[in-house]
Amino acid sequence: MPTTDSPLAAVATASTVPPAGPVLAAGESARTVDLPGLGLLVRSGPGSRDAEPALCVHGLGGSSQNWTALMARLAGTVAGEALDLPGFGHSPPPDDGNYSIAGHARAVVRLLESERRGPVHLFGNSMGGAVAVKVAAARPDLVRTLTLISPALPEIPPQLSAWPTGLASVPGLPQLYMRATRRWSIEQRTAALLALCYGDPSIVDAQARADAAVEYQRRLDLPYFWDVMVRSTRGIVNAYTLGGQHALWRQAERVLAPTLLVYGGRDRLVSVRTARRASRAFRDSRLLMIPQSGHVAMMEHPELVARAFRDLLDELGHRGGGAGTGTTGTQDSPTSTAATGS
């Protein structure tokens, strides 16, 4: 479909210049945390800073903005923050060029240690879920609870719809993809991304799609965009092949923090089949299944995720220690929050 035929074209022309800094929702703020060899953009959600701290970790191709809708709904419950992992969003690449799951996990630990915010309620989506598992397993002192939304835990073989993403780790293939789709408009690329990440991409309205297209173009124009994507995808693939104590499923078994698992029935990247295995692997888990959700439930169904998290806190407040396991599956009317990450 030519650009001029796109229903987003008229909306997109009003905001074709990418913003210099992160786009912030009402009540949000952002700051840059400078650490040796590492600079991180940290987004703070609305609400009181006196509440218990929470930190959110996005997935491959995402950013801290992926957590805006959820942080807004948890504003009265936790003091929510979200970071842009090194090389993503508005965080520059790390000096050491390490985009492995372990490398991203070290960045999260260094942030928490530098600001002395732990223990936090740690949230992770997709690749960020694998990162959060690493952090929770290695540093239980930094994690109060763990919420994983479609975490990237090994599934062999992966579902067919996830293969194209994994193949991005193969040198040269992203460039081939870009050449093969060179006639696509940025609106078409954004629509394809939303279709991959959302169970029902039609809930994203025209203005939100146009804003997402502007942000997507900004990222594509970064000179390090493909290097970060390829190396981070390779980091996920490598993490899937690790054995022994470093294997992600073994790491999951070591997590002590009470864990909320969220899976979507329409997820095209993380199969819902892994949900049952995950609920068995984490020693203190409860499982939320959202049949109509895709890969980014915190964006597509933020109210359901927020409700499940508050239920977790209520459970912990009422039980006198000891592990409890609960399973709940529900579906509600989805919200219309836009996304650009997976």
Side-chain angles (χ1 to χ4, degrees), residues 7-341:
L8 302 181
V11 179
T13 53
S15 56
T16 54
V17 179
V23 176
L24 301 175
E28 287 189 336
S29 61
R31 67 185 188 280
T32 299
V33 177
D34 292 314
L35 302 169
L38 191 66
L40 298 171
L41 187 285
V42 179
R43 177 187 304 261
S44 297
S48 171
R49 296 293 93 190
D50 294 330
E52 291 184 346
L55 183 66
C56 305
V57 188
H58 64 78
L60 182 68
S63 74
S64 59
Q65 193 172 4
N66 295 165
W67 299 97
T68 287
L70 183 62
M71 289 198 298
R73 284 160 177 80
L74 291 176
T77 305
V78 296
E81 292 194 337
L83 81 158
D84 288 347
L85 288 170
F88 291 92
H90 286 80
S91 291
D95 286 357
D96 62 6
N98 188 341
Y99 298 105
S100 66
I101 297 298
H104 287 312
R106 281 193 291 272
V108 172
V109 168
R110 291 181 63 191
L111 173 65
L112 291 174
E113 288 182 332
S114 70
E115 302 205 322
R116 299 181 179 179
R117 292 191 80 233
V120 299
H121 297 286
L122 187 61
F123 292 73
N125 169 237
S126 192
M127 179 186 77
V131 170
V133 169
K134 283 274 192 184
V135 173
R139 294 294 304 273
D141 58 307
L142 294 177
V143 181
R144 189 182 303 273
T145 66
L146 181 63
T147 297
L148 302 175
I149 302 168
S150 295
L153 296 172
E155 178 191 6
I156 300 174
Q159 59 181 337
L160 290 177
S161 55
W163 274 97
T165 301
L167 290 174
S169 64
V170 179
L173 282 187
Q175 290 77 7
L176 287 176
Y177 169 78
M178 290 301 291
R179 284 200 291 270
T181 61
R182 62 185 180 277
R183 295 185 182 276
W184 288 18
S185 67
I186 191 61
E187 292 82 16
Q188 286 176 287
R189 296 185 189 280
T190 302
L193 183 59
L194 293 175
L196 181 66
C197 295
Y198 277 69
D200 179 13
S202 68
I203 69 171
V204 184
D205 63 32
Q207 183 59 60
R209 285 175 178 249
D211 293 342
V214 172
E215 173 61 13
Y216 195 0
Q217 186 64 66
R218 183 193 71 82
R219 297 188 196 181
L220 283 173
D221 291 340
L222 294 171
Y224 52 81
F225 174 82
W226 283 114
D227 183 59
V228 173
M229 288 293 291
V230 170
R231 289 172 181 259
S232 291
T233 305
R234 194 174 299 154
I236 297 173
V237 173
N238 290 342
Y240 278 20
T241 64
L242 291 175
Q245 294 298 318
H246 297 290
L248 282 172
W249 285 115
R250 293 290 294 275
Q251 297 277 299
E253 294 170 355
R254 293 173 52 192
V255 172
L256 301 177
T259 302
L260 169 64
L261 301 165
V262 182
Y263 284 84
R266 294 183 177 178
D267 195 331
R268 299 180 63 194
L269 292 169
V270 170
S271 173
V272 71
R273 293 177 302 180
T274 64
R276 297 298 176 184
R277 180 176 181 181
S279 66
R280 293 191 300 268
F282 291 92
R283 64 181 70 191
D284 184 7
S285 71
R286 60 281 301 141
L287 173 63
L288 170 65
M289 301 284 292
I290 308 178
Q292 304 305 313
S293 184
H295 191 59
V296 287
M298 73 287 190
M299 306 172 78
E300 196 171 6
H301 299 281
E303 189 54 57
L304 288 181
V305 178
R307 185 189 309 166
F309 175 73
R310 288 192 293 266
D311 287 345
L312 168 62
L313 296 189
D314 288 343
E315 174 196 337
L316 298 179
H318 286 91
R319 81 184 194 193
T325 300
T327 300
T328 178
T330 185
Q331 177 184 357
D332 236 341
S333 299
T335 61
S336 55
T337 306
T340 59

